[in-house]
Amino acid sequence: MARPNLELIEALRRTARNLQQGAHYQWGHMGGCNCGNLAQELTKLSKDQIHRYAMERYGDWNEQVDDYCPTSAMPIDLVINEMLNAGLTLEDLKHLEKLDDRAVLHRFPLEQRHLRHNVRNDVVLYMTTWADLLEDQLLEKIKLPQEITEVALVA
């Protein structure tokens, strides 16, 4: 699972909001799909640049991730590297493309866990829920000084 951090949480939320507000979405387009939209937010590259970089090698995001090499200097590997530097893992990218990370899905009621990987509204819901999960994980790591905790309990 991704390393919880503010940059990633905010990028997920901005991506979900952009998609909800009508940003280009096309699951079969490497720059306009689930990973492509998040990559746009994290790298500030356009959907067309990301797609062009991905087309220098074969395959969808799963295959690109499988072939990822941090030292290759292939443009798509540089994109993936930036995403990893933001706190994502290679597995996160695969799960995002298919909307199938169990930790994220377990936050939904059982009858709502069958998200469709190529449906905009399902992508928005998944990214928003994933951001909430990462935020909860981040907050769990924050330790407040004892005096602040005691004051909060008294109030």
Side-chain angles (χ1 to χ4, degrees), residues 5-126:
N5 65 79
L6 290 176
E7 176 193 8
L8 179 57
I9 293 165
E10 285 305 308
L12 284 164
R13 289 196 172 126
R14 281 191 309 270
T15 304
R17 188 171 44 254
N18 291 343
L19 286 168
Q20 197 168 35
Q21 294 173 352
H24 175 83
Y25 180 75
Q26 182 182 352
W27 193 74
H29 186 282
M30 293 292 291
C33 59
N34 307 354
C35 286
N37 271 282
L38 183 57
Q40 287 178 55
E41 193 61 43
L42 289 171
T43 66
K44 305 305 179 204
L45 295 170
S46 72
K47 68 177 173 47
D48 293 329
Q49 287 172 302
I50 294 165
H51 184 77
R52 190 170 47 254
Y53 293 165
M55 293 298 100
E56 291 183 21
R57 195 162 56 204
Y58 64 92
D60 61 13
W61 272 95
N62 278 321
E63 292 166 314
Q64 298 285 355
V65 167
D66 283 341
D67 292 339
Y68 167 73
C69 175
T71 59
S72 78
M74 293 266 316
I76 192 63
D77 286 342
L78 298 174
V79 170
I80 293 170
N81 196 54
E82 280 193 57
M83 297 176 84
L84 299 178
N85 287 339
L88 294 166
T89 67
L90 294 173
E91 287 303 310
D92 290 328
L93 296 176
K94 289 182 175 188
H95 288 307
L96 174 57
E97 202 55 22
K98 297 292 186 179
L99 306 182
D100 66 0
D101 186 288
R102 289 177 186 246
V104 176
L105 294 175
H106 280 313
R107 296 196 129 212
F108 296 108
L110 191 57
E111 64 277 3
Q112 292 179 349
R113 291 183 187 169
H114 302 288
L115 300 178
R116 293 157 297 173
H117 65 274
N118 59 351
V119 174
R120 176 190 300 266
N121 290 338
D122 286 357
V123 177
V124 169
L125 185 60
Y126 184 92

